[in-house]
Amino acid sequence: MSLLNVERIKLFSTRSPYWCLLLVVVFGLGLSAILSLVEGGANAGVSTSQAGINFAISVIMVMAALAITTEYRFGTIRNSFLAVPKRGKVLAAKTAVVAVIALVVTLITSFAAYYLMVAIHGPDAPANAMDINNADEWRYIWGPAVIVMVAAVIAVSVGSLIRQSAGAIAALLIWPTLESLFPLFGSFGRRVAPWLPFNAGSKFYTAGFSDGQGPPALDGRYPSPNWWQGGLVFVGTAAVLYVVALILLKKRDA
């Protein structure tokens, strides 16, 4: 528990986490408010209340990567390893702190964004647009927080592997973009695209990439994951990266 507390203190010893978390909240609520009012609220709905999720994923990944790359930049990681020789505990504590904070903040923002849209959506919103009638619609609200939490694990792992802030952030932000371009590479790309980590993960909290949200839209001829399969692909990717990061962390010099 003391190690978790140390990692929490280190995380918030700089301003970047505060700004990142504030951006997640402000952008999530702001976009929900805008979509509630534009065109009289014609676009209001349970899923559209979570329109800020892709932005939240990107921002949280930046925060999570900086949580470890900053230590390498200033050399403080050596002090951490001297204090706790078992490096795996340091990585586990850092990952847990960032992931839990990401989960809590995103979950609160998701529910706040939904209820904000319920409160202010315009008169042209479809009838019962904001009603939650089944488990899938509830998942549209809590699902983003789970995906953001897993994305934080991916980001810490990538940060541990690359060790440089600019390189880690660039890799994390370019990754989803590259996945969205796969359908451009013919039938092979369209077949593979839905199963790539971020594309598959999007199925966990919305209709997903393979149902027309990626450029160009896929036409349904190729198999794509359902929501739990997409979630497993995303979690599996995070687990593999974490294990690789842990192995290399123990072998490489600090």
Side-chain angles (χ1 to χ4, degrees):
M1 186 62 68
S2 60
L3 184 55
L4 291 173
N5 193 43
V6 167
E7 291 300 331
R8 178 187 60 80
I9 293 171
K10 286 195 293 184
L11 177 64
F12 289 105
S13 62
T14 62
R15 295 180 180 179
S16 59
Y18 294 100
W19 282 110
C20 288
L21 295 174
L22 180 62
L23 283 172
V24 169
V25 175
V26 171
F27 196 88
L29 297 181
L31 197 54
S32 177
I34 291 172
L35 292 176
S36 298
L37 300 173
V38 68
E39 296 183 356
N43 296 316
V46 178
S47 61
T48 55
S49 69
Q50 308 302 312
I53 177 57
N54 289 330
F55 178 81
I57 291 173
S58 297
V59 172
I60 290 298
M61 287 198 301
V62 170
M63 182 191 77
L66 288 175
I68 189 165
T69 58
T70 301
E71 288 213 60
Y72 279 106
R73 177 184 176 187
F74 294 105
T76 56
I77 194 72
R78 297 188 186 93
N79 297 330
S80 298
F81 291 156
L82 287 173
V84 183
K86 294 184 178 181
R87 296 183 177 187
K89 289 186 176 181
V90 176
L91 184 63
K94 190 180 296 293
T95 304
V97 168
V98 174
V100 170
I101 291 173
L103 173 69
V104 172
V105 171
T106 307
L107 188 62
I108 292 173
T109 303
S110 293
F111 274 92
Y114 168 74
Y115 285 111
L116 178 64
M117 185 171 280
V118 170
I120 68 173
H121 66 77
D124 293 333
N128 304 320
M130 303 306 299
D131 290 353
I132 299 179
N133 301 309
N134 52 56
D136 283 337
E137 291 179 341
W138 274 115
R139 179 165 43 81
Y140 291 161
I141 298 178
W142 61 261
V146 175
I147 292 299
V148 168
M149 178 182 66
V150 179
V153 177
I154 290 176
V156 172
S157 302
V158 171
S160 178
L161 291 169
I162 297 179
R163 296 188 172 189
Q164 295 181 343
S165 298
I169 291 172
L172 290 166
L173 296 183
I174 291 173
W175 184 352
T177 303
L178 292 178
E179 289 189 7
S180 69
L181 297 177
F182 259 70
L184 299 176
F185 301 107
S187 61
F188 171 78
R190 290 191 291 272
R191 193 180 303 276
V192 171
W195 296 90
L196 296 176
F198 283 91
N199 291 342
S202 69
K203 294 283 288 188
F204 190 82
Y205 57 87
T206 187
F209 175 89
S210 60
D211 291 323
Q213 295 189 10
L218 303 184
D219 57 15
R221 291 183 300 166
Y222 303 98
S224 63
N226 57 30
W227 69 269
W228 64 266
Q229 290 171 333
L232 285 178
V233 169
F234 200 59
V235 171
T237 301
V240 170
L241 285 173
Y242 183 84
V243 170
V244 173
L246 181 60
I247 292 173
L248 293 182
L249 182 70
K250 295 179 178 179
K251 291 185 175 182
R252 296 194 294 185
D253 293 334

